[in-house]
Amino acid sequence: MAAELSALNGLDFLSSADLNGAQTQALLTLAADIKAGRRNPRLDGKVLGLIFSKASTRTRVSFTVAMARLGGQTIDLNPSVSQVGRGEPIKDTARVLSRYLNAVAIRTFAQSDLQAYADAASIPIINALTDLEHPCQALADYLTMQEAFGSLEGLTMTYVGDGNNVAHSLLIAGALLGVNVRIGCPAGFYPLEKVVAQAKAIAAGRSEIVISEDPAEAVRGAHAVYTDVWASMGQEEEQSTRVQAFRGFCVDESLMRHADAKAIVLHCLPAHRGEEISAAVMESSASRIFDQAENRLHAQQALLATLLGAEG
Ligand code: CP
Ligand code: NVA
């Protein structure tokens, strides 16, 4: 294990900011090595718990398959079939699970609930999406961009749409990796100011962090154009007002004309064709969306191997 990564053994991954730049880059290298079959870390006999309070296809399945490939296994602790859903205190659940499991991946609403698990647990807690961040997604996203261009040095990632959890982790992880990150979003849907300030502080002089209300300006010359749903899980009742607010922010062929000629298109999925992305762009040769979904698996294998101190 690279020296940068061995320091992460036993730690939590609650935010993209829990890693430094060298660690983030080393994780991407390990993920690429695992994907190519150059590395085969082992977690035989280790068990990961999954507590998901929101729906998931990619995150749940990729964590389950990642543990299987590493020689370990997962237990699905869906709140509806465990005492979590009946209100058992987080601090009790976290301490009990620490006696059985080697790590827990949690998808929930409040980042403070995730933090409460981490505070009480003695095993690594992993953010599998909260309303604030989606750091596992950002690892797969930058792995996909690195694959497409060979290196991330000097590249620009533009995210068009809602300044949400996905945008927050892209900002922080991009800053850590030296990537210019631009967010194109309408007024009222900016990423949180504290996250933008955090990303700017990390980027400090190495790359640019820019927020723009002009999607064409944000996309100009970008190497990756990324979008996500306009209404995230928990915001379903705002769907129709958001469709109005985000008019002009669809990643379609006319917006893509402003990007670099070799630009790739990314989306964390699930996608709403005809809203945040056109069907034509989604199915275009620029799309790396399904490579990106696959890369969740490789990035999370690297993450689990690192946090759980895998051999090999
Ligand atoms: N991108 C992502 O996290 O997908 P799921 O909600 O299906 O896990
Ligand atoms: N922003 C979306 C991401 C889903 C993977 C949500 O939180 O619903």
Side-chain angles (χ1 to χ4, degrees), residues 52 55-60 107 128-129 134 137 233 268-270 296:
F52 278 46
S56 171
T57 298
R58 280 144 289 272
T59 309
R60 184 195 307 278
R107 170 168 287 199
L129 181 146
H134 198 1
Q137 179 71 55
M233 289 181 277
C268 58
L269 299 175
R296 297 293 306 278

